[in-house]
Amino acid sequence: MDKLIIKGDGAISGTLKISGAKNSALPILAASLLADGPVHIGNLPHLNDITTMITLLRCMGVEITLNEKLSVEIDPRSVNELTAPYELVKTMRASILVLGPLLARHGVANVSFPGGCAIGSRPVDIHLKGLEAMGAKISIDGGFIRARCNGRLKGANITMEKVTVGATENLLMAAVLAKGTTVLHNAAREPEIVDLAEFLLAMGAQIEGIGTGTLRVHGVSRLNSCAFTVMPDRIETGTFLAAGAAARGKVRMTHTRADTLDAVLLKFEEAGAHISTGDSWIELDMKGNRPKAVSFRTAPYPAFPTDIQSQFMAMNAVAEGKATVVETIFENRLVQVHELNRMGANIVLEGNTAIVTGVESLKGAPVMASDLRASASLVIAGMVAKGTTIVDRIYHIDRGYECIEEKLQQLGANIRRVAG
């Protein structure tokens, strides 16, 4: 099992190119199942989760051609298998996103219950209730969700009991081929959902209210071929900016979008960072100063994202002052606290709240990654700690970051990957 070895306490600076957004690319790949012809998707990140989704589509008979320019051509007309097997679904929760497209396009879908990071309960009930409201017959059998519909799904008025990204994506994809109009109330508003909706529009879908909490979808009988470019990854952007802030450095992210990170950039400024932005770049400059501790509460977009919480925790660990971090999305998302404390951080957990008292410096230690974003926080902590940090179980980090050690090396970090 691979490990990252980090020798910390060094300054970092430089420029990085941000990859395509994993959380946009995965639903877009799933949505390609809806098309009546080939679709071309560009700016895909090179990640394990993307590879898993492509493998899943191929298992269904989808013809996929990859090229060296981070793009794929997908022809879903060859689909001959309507089952997403446990062997693939267990490794990645986003596999559930093929449920809506398969059901809408073929009238049948068999999807194993999903896996992924162990960050708390993420039930699929809202997905299933929404599909049932659209006329699907759903049963649970042998660990599989088995969904059927006679003819096309039917438009429905659906109010989701909580804001959920996955259910919004699944129901949106199902609705575009349903007969009639579907209204999704309390829909998630994340930029990745906007990107998915733009992809569906490019194929000929009719969707109103994109970027709001109410999506109105007028079903069409078929969707066409198209070419589409995946948006930049705002979570990767925030992660590397957090590394720069924790290390008192100056970093510039290119091929990214500041408008998707408003809440995060405000908190960086509160931490003492000088932020500059342009059409496709963001620069953070700490002027060599130690960051100030910042308190925040995670919440659905446009509030502070749960996927950047742990990276800010690492920054707060070496910041000046005390901060309170409240995690409202996933009950186990503060799991990185124990490993950060092993490195000398002063963090006290009280339920879903972490109270962080910044220390002057951390100390390198062997630590273990427990989920994707917690892994990133340990890497940041290792970069600013005195001595050597060994981060184990980094298969988690490879699910969401493209060549993280190579990118951090570009910023001057002393980090390398070794086979375990």
Side-chain angles (χ1 to χ4, degrees):
M1 195 176 297
D2 287 1
K3 299 178 177 65
L4 290 176
I5 298 179
I6 309 166
K7 293 184 179 179
D9 203 29
I12 66 170
S13 64
T15 300
L16 283 183
K17 178 182 177 182
I18 296 300
S19 302
K22 170 196 136 173
N23 290 340
S24 176
L26 291 172
I28 285 173
L29 286 170
S32 69
L33 290 165
L34 294 162
D36 274 356
V39 297
H40 185 275
I41 304 170
N43 200 34
L44 288 176
H46 285 168
L47 300 172
N48 288 352
D49 276 9
I50 299 297
T51 301
T52 299
M53 182 63 84
I54 288 173
T55 302
L56 176 58
L57 295 177
R58 280 178 166 155
C59 285
M60 296 174 180
V62 176
E63 293 183 5
I64 299 179
T65 304
L66 298 110
N67 69 26
E68 70 282 358
K69 295 183 179 180
L70 308 179
S71 64
V72 296
E73 183 175 279
I74 300 174
D75 191 342
R77 293 174 295 182
S78 55
V79 167
N80 55 23
E81 175 57 64
L82 304 176
T83 297
Y86 173 72
E87 289 72 23
L88 289 172
V89 177
K90 70 179 180 180
T91 65
M92 184 184 67
R93 184 171 183 81
S95 304
I96 191 71
L97 294 176
V98 301
L99 179 62
L102 282 178
L103 186 60
R105 181 75 173 81
H106 300 282
V108 175
N110 303 300
V111 180
S112 176
F113 275 101
C117 288
I119 55 176
S121 174
R122 295 193 282 184
V124 297
D125 298 16
I126 298 174
H127 301 239
L128 306 187
K129 288 177 182 176
L131 292 173
E132 286 176 330
M134 297 167 72
K137 302 296 183 185
I138 296 177
S139 61
I140 309 299
D141 177 31
F144 274 83
I145 302 165
R146 302 191 185 277
R148 305 285 185 277
C149 66
N150 293 323
R152 291 170 65 186
L153 293 169
K154 297 176 176 60
N157 195 34
I158 300 169
T159 299
M160 288 174 277
E161 60 192 60
K162 62 181 290 189
V163 177
T164 160
V165 171
T168 300
E169 292 167 339
N170 233 337
L171 298 178
L172 174 61
M173 290 186 284
V176 293
L177 288 182
K179 186 176 182 180
T181 297
T182 299
V183 183
L184 300 177
H185 300 281
N186 202 29
R189 300 161 55 189
E190 271 68 9
E192 294 80 10
I193 290 175
V194 173
D195 214 34
L196 170 63
E198 296 288 351
F199 173 65
L200 295 170
L201 289 179
M203 291 194 293
Q206 297 182 14
I207 308 168
E208 300 169 1
I210 295 172
T212 75
T214 302
L215 294 172
R216 184 177 295 272
V217 186
H218 305 287
V220 297
S221 59
R222 63 186 297 270
L223 293 176
N224 311 309
S225 300
C226 77
F228 191 81
T229 301
V230 172
M231 67 175 285
D233 195 322
R234 64 191 174 105
I235 307 303
E236 184 189 45
T237 302
T239 298
F240 292 133
L241 291 175
R248 311 182 189 188
K250 179 180 179 180
V251 293
R252 185 182 180 97
M253 305 296 130
T254 67
H255 298 78
T256 190
R257 284 173 47 188
D259 65 318
T260 64
L261 285 164
D262 288 341
V264 174
L265 296 181
L266 283 172
K267 286 297 176 182
F268 278 127
E269 289 181 332
E270 190 178 326
H274 296 261
I275 300 291
S276 304
T277 63
D279 288 342
S280 61
W281 58 270
I282 303 171
E283 185 173 277
L284 176 147
D285 189 354
M286 294 302 296
K287 308 285 187 182
N289 296 319
R290 183 180 176 190
K292 298 181 179 69
V294 290
S295 298
F296 60 92
R297 171 187 294 265
T298 65
Y301 189 85
F304 196 96
T306 182
D307 278 353
I308 304 182
Q309 174 262 111
S310 61
Q311 299 90 312
F312 259 72
M313 184 88 72
M315 181 193 75
N316 274 338
V318 293
E320 181 181 341
K322 180 182 289 188
T324 300
V325 176
V326 182
E327 172 58 54
T328 72
I329 307 297
F330 297 124
E331 65 266 29
N332 294 336
R333 247 291 158 74
L334 297 172
V335 69
Q336 77 277 0
V337 165
H338 304 293
E339 297 299 281
L340 290 173
N341 282 343
R342 280 169 50 81
M343 299 177 67
N346 184 354
I347 308 173
V348 177
L349 273 181
E350 296 179 359
N352 68 335
T353 299
I355 301 167
V356 189
T357 303
V359 297
E360 185 67 34
S361 64
L362 299 173
K363 297 177 182 178
V367 291
M368 186 173 294
S370 55
D371 72 56
L372 169 54
R373 304 308 172 184
S375 305
S377 74
L378 299 178
V379 170
I380 293 171
M383 289 169 55
V384 298
K386 293 183 183 298
T388 300
T389 297
I390 301 173
V391 184
D392 206 347
R393 291 174 62 180
I394 61 168
Y395 59 85
H396 287 295
I397 208 166
D398 290 336
R399 290 184 45 236
Y401 293 93
E402 182 178 358
C403 305
I404 190 169
E405 73 279 8
E406 295 178 16
K407 288 195 171 184
L408 290 173
Q409 286 165 5
Q410 293 177 45
L411 298 179
N414 189 337
I415 178 173
R416 60 190 175 93
R417 180 184 295 252
V418 296

